[in-house]
Amino acid sequence: QQPVQSPQAVILREGEDAVINCSSSKALYSVHWYRQKHGEAPVFLMILLKGGEQKGHDKISASFNEKKQQSSLYLTASQLSYSGTYFCGTYRGSTLGRLYFGRGTQLTVWP
Amino acid sequence: SQTIHQWPATLVQPVGSPLSLECTVEGTSNPNLYWYRQAAGRGLQLLFYSVGIGQISSEVPQNLSASRPQDRQFILSSKKLLLSDSGFYLCAWSGTGTISYEQYFGPGTRLTVT
């Protein structure tokens, strides 16, 4: 039931792009993306709803392919502040509010 | 605006001692509430969630319990801590009457069982 994230880790130089993938074997209602910096709590980034549009703010965007039960997070022109662990959380629309989180993707951006 | 508080921020407890962690939410009513545990360098494990006062669902059988005595208060407890209970405990809330259920996390409690 836990979604699968890939890759497990990414190392980038400032200004480079990255893609983080999240896939589920179950039909999804929505996909949530969070970023957690070391020693801190996860912070909500964005949500992709079934039938909704691709989301994004600043240079971080995401897409959701409902038919494939997959979502991708796109980070363009990475900044040092993008470093952290990114988690996807999937909502299947059954148990109210219950999200299934992936194991996370550790992103490191070097100057 | 909504705010979520957790305390204490850090805790060191001996094996076999009791535990009580508290979480409160401000600025919203009837939220869904969640307790997660995160082991060092690992993902988020859902422990309990609640959709209302006195309504608790347990995800993982363990020596922990949760209670929701008030609408915006969520408590995580244990009668006797184990070494394996060490970790980063996170409380989160999400709105109701919405289709999105995005979750907002508190600052967390770092528990070390010695």
Side-chain angles (χ1 to χ4, degrees):
Chain A
Q1 302 187 37
Q2 183 180 36
V4 177
Q5 284 187 237
S6 63
Q8 287 186 313
V10 184
I11 299 176
L12 300 172
R13 289 284 184 185
E14 222 175 347
E16 293 181 339
D17 301 339
V19 180
I20 299 172
N21 300 302
C22 174
S23 64
S24 172
S25 60
K26 305 285 187 181
L28 302 177
Y29 187 86
S30 63
V31 178
H32 304 218
W33 286 97
Y34 295 80
R35 177 172 61 206
Q36 183 178 30
K37 293 191 177 284
H38 183 69
E40 300 179 5
V43 173
F44 172 75
L45 292 176
M46 66 185 76
I47 181 174
L48 288 302
L49 298 174
K50 184 178 178 180
E53 297 178 354
Q54 181 166 333
K55 289 286 190 74
H57 63 87
D58 197 12
K59 296 188 173 74
I60 300 176
S61 62
S63 63
F64 178 25
N65 186 322
E66 300 160 27
K67 292 182 179 178
K68 293 185 177 180
Q69 293 102 51
Q70 292 176 349
S71 178
S72 294
L73 186 71
Y74 307 95
L75 301 100
T76 58
S78 296
Q79 306 169 15
L80 296 177
S81 61
Y82 287 3
S83 292
T85 301
Y86 289 79
F87 293 98
C88 70
T90 56
Y91 178 53
R92 306 214 300 258
S94 50
T95 307
L96 292 178
R98 202 260 192 252
L99 298 183
Y100 293 87
F101 283 95
R103 290 179 181 256
T105 296
Q106 188 170 353
L107 181 80
T108 305
V109 181
W110 293 98
Chain B
S1 64
Q2 299 86 6
T3 313
I4 179 168
H5 303 279
Q6 282 187 249
W7 63 89
T10 59
L11 193 59
V12 180
Q13 293 283 92
V15 168
S17 64
L19 174 74
S20 181
L21 302 181
E22 190 164 341
C23 169
T24 58
V25 182
E26 297 177 353
T28 187
S29 54
N30 196 30
N32 288 347
L33 296 172
Y34 313 84
W35 277 114
Y36 291 90
R37 178 170 60 201
Q38 188 174 35
R42 303 295 295 274
L44 299 161
Q45 179 188 29
L46 179 64
L47 301 175
F48 301 94
Y49 65 93
S50 172
V51 298
I53 296 175
Q55 302 177 61
I56 310 293
S57 296
S58 174
E59 285 286 313
V60 180
Q62 59 218 326
N63 68 323
L64 299 172
S65 62
S67 62
R68 185 170 176 174
Q70 300 181 44
D71 181 44
R72 289 167 287 179
Q73 184 184 30
F74 206 21
I75 297 172
L76 182 70
S77 304
S78 173
K79 292 182 179 178
K80 288 186 179 182
L81 283 169
L82 306 173
L83 284 174
S84 57
D85 291 324
S86 293
F88 192 35
Y89 287 81
L90 292 155
C91 180
W93 74 273
S94 68
T96 55
T98 173
I99 61 172
S100 53
Y101 294 111
E102 61 262 33
Q103 294 184 15
Y104 298 94
F105 289 83
T109 295
R110 196 162 301 280
L111 172 67
T112 304
V113 183
T114 60

